[in-house]
Amino acid sequence: MAIQDSVLSLRDGLKRFSGGFTSGQKVLTLVGVAIVAIASIYFMQLTSAPSYAPLFTNLSASDAASITTKLQAAGVPYQLAGGGTTIMVPQTQVYQERLDMAQAGLPANSTVGLSLLDKVGITSSQITQQADYQRALQGELATTIEAIQGVSSAQVNLALPPTDVFAISQNSQPTASVLVTLDSGTTLSQGQVQGIVHLVASSITNLSASNVTVVDQNGDVLSAPGFNNSAAQNSSATSTFDQSLAASLTSMLQNVVGINHVAVKVAAQMNFNQSTTKSQTVQTTKNGTPITVPTQTSKSTQTYTGTGTAPGGTLGSITQPAGANQNAKYNQTSSTSNYAVGQVNQTIQQAPGQIQHLSVAVLVDSKVKGVNLAAIKSLVSAAAGLQPKRGDTISVVRLPFAAQSATTALPAAAASSGSLMAMIQTGLLVLGVLIAIFLIVRSSKKEIREDLFIGDYEPPLALEPASVELSAPTLALPTLTPVVSEEVLDFIDRQPEDVAKLLRIWMNSRVKV
């Protein structure tokens, strides 16, 4: 019986609560509750959905079929990507599933690098060992290249000349080719391409970087023997210089005219030719006389005094007959000095990237008042290092800027579309809850409330028994006194529903009268 009374009381309470709403409020409340429920379910599904990560990539068809069969048998959810060559599983199960697949010997046909040599037997021929070693090197290099950001997968092919122990010299040189599959929208820079080239060349004995070819999945040659990529490198270096100088000048001018009120464009012509200059000069004094330094000095002196002819005779003289009495005296002095002229040999090698011509254009918003264009021109010329003798030019112009559109922020919003969707979902959920609370509060404020006693001392109304139908037993009301007695208040607290019915009867009676 108590349970039935509770159920009836709850039902009556719900009826009274719903009776306070108008038809429009009921419809809006139901719509708000439905929106909140749908948004909650959708949000719960998104948050509960597992995040998938690659289990294996670049698989053959047979390996992919074997792995998916084993995953189905284990009840592990998976997804296929890359045309069936990539298998993805929940991120929390990636490492465990790799261990399980390795225990089962999967993938069987994938290149696993130097681990291939573990299966080489002692009875295998030299050709087989050489082939296995080459495959192992190719697999290791491919795995290393795939670690580069932007490279989805890589395939390396090596052409290694056979080793002949009886050959005096090896004339053939090893070569290599690399096929890289890039992520969507990714382009490798020249530095990354050269990194791949030197990585492969450094891993193979006697392999030159000029014998390595790199091609992407579209067939575009990134590097190859005889392929001149200096033009692309020079263009990239020039573009980087222009953007860096323009950004520096813009940052400086924004402190004067304000943000979004100035634009700077830089166009540079640069010389990337390498040149070497050799010069030889003679050192001179202030008077222009060459500076000489003695490097070698020699002096020789011969003296002979006596009667007769010197023994053996004298060079270039006639020897007198022996025994002739004659006084003789011989003296010879010789001195030699060698001087070297001061010389300077100088070799100058110019690095590429010299500026040949520089042009700077500055656009200032005409809406900004009090801007001195001459001062800006002088400031920019000094900051950019312009040299009129070199032919550098600068132009400063004032023009009205176009009003910025709100759509300029769309690229940034598109980059964070995932977080934006999450914010929209959360906002809808909160909005639905707020709408429901607002409707409930609004309906409660529209309840009709009447005072128990109208006026200060208004006498009770005379009720006609014929015009009133009471569903509750007749109540004996206490005599009205100027001050509400405690008994009346206790009665209202104990039987509020009967008091409410009685008040409605009084109000209807007053309207009829």
Side-chain angles (χ1 to χ4, degrees):
M1 189 67 180
I3 298 176
Q4 185 177 3
D5 293 340
S6 300
V7 173
L8 294 176
S9 177
L10 179 61
R11 185 184 64 183
D12 294 340
L14 292 176
K15 288 182 178 180
R16 290 195 302 273
F17 178 77
S18 61
F21 289 88
T22 63
S23 300
Q25 291 176 345
K26 290 180 180 179
V27 173
L28 290 177
T29 302
L30 292 177
V31 172
V33 172
I35 293 175
V36 171
I38 294 174
S40 301
I41 294 173
Y42 182 68
F43 185 74
M44 289 170 52
Q45 288 179 351
L46 288 180
T47 55
S48 61
S51 178
Y52 283 81
L55 178 64
F56 294 107
T57 60
N58 198 19
L59 294 172
S60 62
S62 59
D63 285 340
S66 301
I67 292 174
T68 53
T69 301
K70 192 166 183 62
L71 291 176
Q72 290 177 354
V76 178
Y78 65 90
Q79 294 179 353
L80 296 178
T85 60
T86 301
I87 299 178
M88 305 179 68
V89 297
Q91 190 171 7
T92 56
Q93 302 180 7
V94 170
Y95 301 108
Q96 184 61 42
E97 291 303 321
R98 285 180 181 174
L99 294 176
D100 295 342
M101 295 303 166
Q103 185 178 5
L106 295 174
N109 296 330
S110 63
T111 302
V112 291
L114 294 176
S115 59
L116 285 173
L117 302 180
D118 297 337
K119 303 178 181 179
V120 177
I122 59 175
T123 59
S124 58
S125 63
Q126 183 179 359
I127 297 177
T128 303
Q129 293 178 0
Q130 183 69 19
D132 291 339
Y133 177 70
Q134 182 171 335
R135 289 176 55 200
L137 288 179
Q138 294 175 167
E140 290 292 335
L141 288 173
T143 304
T144 305
I145 294 173
E146 289 173 357
I148 298 176
Q149 184 177 5
V151 179
S152 176
S153 61
Q155 182 178 352
V156 179
N157 296 320
L158 300 176
L160 303 179
T163 303
D164 190 357
V165 295
F166 299 102
I168 299 177
S169 61
Q170 297 289 340
N171 296 326
S172 59
Q173 297 293 328
T175 58
S177 62
V178 181
L179 174 63
V180 291
T181 302
L182 306 179
D183 296 334
S184 178
T186 302
T187 302
L188 293 180
S189 63
Q190 290 298 325
Q192 290 176 314
V193 174
Q194 292 302 313
I196 294 175
V197 170
H198 290 283
L199 179 66
V200 175
S202 302
S203 302
I204 307 300
T205 305
N206 299 328
L207 177 59
S208 174
S210 59
N211 292 331
V212 179
T213 302
V214 182
V215 182
D216 63 5
Q217 74 273 19
N218 298 322
D220 297 331
V221 178
L222 305 181
S223 179
F227 178 77
N228 185 10
N229 57 357
S230 59
Q233 293 179 354
N234 298 342
S235 177
S236 177
T238 304
S239 177
T240 302
F241 174 80
D242 294 345
Q243 294 176 3
S244 177
L245 183 57
S248 178
L249 296 176
T250 302
S251 176
M252 179 184 64
L253 295 178
Q254 283 179 351
N255 298 324
V256 180
V257 299
I259 301 176
N260 298 328
H261 292 289
V262 64
V264 180
K265 181 68 175 179
V266 176
Q269 295 180 2
M270 308 182 71
N271 183 10
F272 291 93
N273 297 329
Q274 293 184 354
S275 61
T276 303
T277 303
K278 294 183 179 181
S279 60
Q280 183 178 11
T281 58
V282 178
Q283 292 181 330
T284 60
T285 61
K286 295 181 179 180
N287 299 328
T289 304
I291 298 176
T292 58
V293 180
T295 59
Q296 184 179 3
T297 301
S298 63
K299 185 176 183 180
S300 176
T301 303
Q302 294 181 5
T303 302
Y304 173 75
T305 302
T307 300
T309 304
T314 303
L315 181 63
S317 62
I318 301 175
T319 304
Q320 296 293 332
N325 295 326
Q326 182 179 357
N327 295 328
K329 185 178 179 180
Y330 174 77
N331 187 4
Q332 181 179 1
T333 301
S334 176
S335 179
T336 303
S337 298
N338 296 328
Y339 293 88
V341 179
Q343 296 180 352
V344 176
N345 296 326
Q346 188 177 15
T347 302
I348 301 175
Q349 184 174 4
Q350 294 182 351
Q354 300 294 327
I355 299 177
Q356 291 183 330
H357 178 72
L358 187 62
S359 299
V360 180
V362 181
L363 180 62
V364 181
D365 192 357
S366 60
K367 299 177 183 178
V368 181
K369 305 301 181 182
V371 178
N372 190 347
L373 297 184
I376 291 180
K377 184 176 181 179
S378 176
L379 183 65
V380 173
S381 298
L386 299 181
Q387 301 179 9
K389 295 181 179 180
R390 194 174 54 190
D392 298 345
T393 58
I394 180 174
S395 175
V396 181
V397 181
R398 291 187 62 180
L399 292 174
F401 278 27
Q404 293 185 355
S405 176
T407 58
T408 55
L410 288 179
S416 57
S417 58
S419 59
L420 182 61
M421 288 299 299
M423 293 176 61
I424 292 176
Q425 295 165 3
T426 306
L428 290 176
L429 180 61
V430 174
L431 180 62
V433 174
L434 292 177
I435 291 175
I437 295 175
F438 173 75
L439 294 177
I440 294 174
V441 173
R442 184 178 179 183
S443 63
S444 63
K445 289 183 178 180
K446 286 192 175 183
E447 293 180 357
I448 301 176
R449 299 179 181 271
E450 296 288 345
D451 293 336
L452 179 61
F453 299 102
I454 303 174
D456 293 337
Y457 300 100
E458 186 173 348
L461 299 175
L463 304 178
E464 296 180 4
S467 61
V468 179
E469 295 181 0
L470 296 176
S471 59
T474 304
L475 302 176
L477 296 177
T479 304
L480 183 63
T481 59
V483 180
V484 180
S485 63
E486 295 293 336
E487 296 179 356
V488 176
L489 297 176
D490 293 340
F491 177 76
I492 294 174
D493 293 336
R494 284 184 282 102
Q495 297 183 355
E497 297 180 359
D498 296 338
V499 173
K501 292 180 181 179
L502 183 59
L503 289 175
R504 285 196 288 270
I505 294 173
W506 286 353
M507 294 302 297
N508 293 332
S509 300
R510 292 186 63 181
V511 172
K512 291 179 180 180
V513 174

